[in-house]
Amino acid sequence: MRLEARSLTVGYGDRAVVDGLDLAVLPGTVTAVIGPNGCGKSTLLRALGRLLPARSGTVLLDGKSITTTPTREVAKVLAMLPQSPQAPEGLTVADLVARGRHPHQSWYRQWSEEDEAAVAGALEMTGMADLAERAVNELSGGQRQRAWISMALAQGTDLLLLDEPTTYLDLAHQIDVLDLVGRLHRDGGRTIVMVLHDLNLAARYATRLVAMRDGRIVAEGEPEAVLTEQTLLDVFALKAKVVPDPVTATPLVIPISHQHP
């Protein structure tokens, strides 16, 4: 097991947002964390990515506590893309992606052909090679997301944590970004954990779902097992019908308005 949370409690100030949670991220899967606003999805991801310390419990990376593992060693194994990251004004895509190689640098190992190849490969994989010299702040929302994912890829890790990678994107760009996530999993064998709000896209692109409410996991497993009408009621207080998606045969959630019996 590469990444695991055991009895994890994390919070802000006096408030515990994630409370006594256990989660094992299965290698080679795409896991989507779903749940209502404020249930602890992003807090959990930040704790898994070592951006938030645990109040109690632990996060294990390859069997070792992630908090006591040197930062550089964590960054060689795990890449984290937070919500709405910001790049310095005028920074080019190529320079941003090159920052993904920092964990591999040291006073005795400077920029190398290996680093150059990793950056070029990441840009090619995300379709950003032609935009390498463009400033990040000049890109569209979808292009910016692909640029940041390129940086994460350049780290050379096989564990990616993506916190709401489709936020603020129109539907076409959401599909572009999630298609990219699917290729990274399918072709690169990467293990990916992402927070998503769109339940139908989560069911379509993830191999496992983790449904949270009030800082705890209510259900986890394959999309068909998690996205049931009862779970939607328990987790989201949402009445809905769940039918097969006519394109992918994955679960398709059809909300029932309160105006209809």
Side-chain angles (χ1 to χ4, degrees), residues 2-261:
R2 300 223 71 180
L3 189 61
E4 186 176 3
R6 292 184 182 175
S7 302
L8 181 67
T9 298
V10 188
Y12 306 94
D14 295 330
R15 185 168 66 98
V17 179
V18 170
D19 188 11
L21 181 145
D22 292 310
L23 175 66
V25 177
L26 302 181
T29 60
V30 177
T31 299
V33 184
I34 59 174
N37 291 338
C39 72
K41 302 184 299 295
S42 293
T43 299
L44 170 61
L45 207 71
R46 295 185 70 196
L48 292 176
R50 204 185 180 218
L51 298 183
L52 273 179
R55 288 185 177 181
S56 61
T58 187
V59 174
L60 300 177
L61 181 62
D62 290 335
K64 301 177 183 177
S65 170
I66 199 169
T67 56
T68 58
T69 303
T71 301
R72 188 180 296 272
E73 295 307 309
V74 172
K76 289 179 180 179
V77 176
L78 182 152
M80 167 94 187
L81 181 60
Q83 288 185 43
S84 305
Q86 299 294 319
E89 190 76 20
L91 186 74
T92 67
V93 171
D95 288 338
L96 174 69
V97 177
R99 294 186 175 199
R101 299 303 296 169
H102 285 182
H104 302 273
Q105 307 296 310
S106 64
W107 66 268
Y108 59 85
R109 184 194 181 283
Q110 299 303 310
W111 193 259
S112 67
E113 291 183 2
E114 181 182 348
D115 297 319
E116 196 71 39
V119 169
L123 289 169
E124 192 66 35
M125 190 177 300
T126 56
M128 294 296 290
D130 291 341
L131 299 174
E133 300 308 317
R134 287 274 299 277
V136 175
N137 58 286
E138 295 176 359
L139 302 176
S140 70
Q143 290 169 335
R144 279 197 299 274
Q145 283 295 72
R146 294 209 312 262
W148 284 100
I149 292 174
S150 299
M151 186 189 75
L153 291 179
Q155 279 183 233
T157 71
D158 59 2
L159 246 175
L160 292 178
L161 307 184
L162 308 175
D163 192 0
E164 299 188 30
T166 58
T167 298
Y168 307 128
L169 300 183
D170 61 42
L171 185 56
H173 284 111
Q174 290 180 43
I175 296 299
D176 284 344
V177 168
L178 292 174
D179 279 347
L180 170 60
V181 170
R183 288 198 303 274
L184 297 178
H185 169 249
R186 183 179 62 252
D187 300 339
R190 288 176 173 82
T191 301
I192 298 167
V193 184
M194 55 184 175
V195 171
L196 286 180
H197 280 289
D198 190 306
L199 301 180
N200 294 326
L201 291 180
R204 179 177 288 194
Y205 286 93
T207 59
R208 288 182 62 80
L209 297 183
V210 173
M212 292 184 62
R213 183 176 179 86
D214 298 329
R216 297 176 182 272
I217 293 176
V218 176
E220 61 179 308
E222 295 181 354
E224 293 78 7
V226 174
L227 282 186
T228 66
E229 293 173 10
Q230 185 60 52
T231 301
L232 291 169
L233 195 59
D234 293 341
V235 173
F236 296 94
L238 175 68
K239 289 185 177 181
K241 290 293 184 183
V242 180
V243 299
D245 186 311
V247 175
T248 62
T250 52
L252 181 67
V253 177
I254 303 174
I256 299 174
S257 169
H258 295 298
Q259 300 178 36
H260 296 87

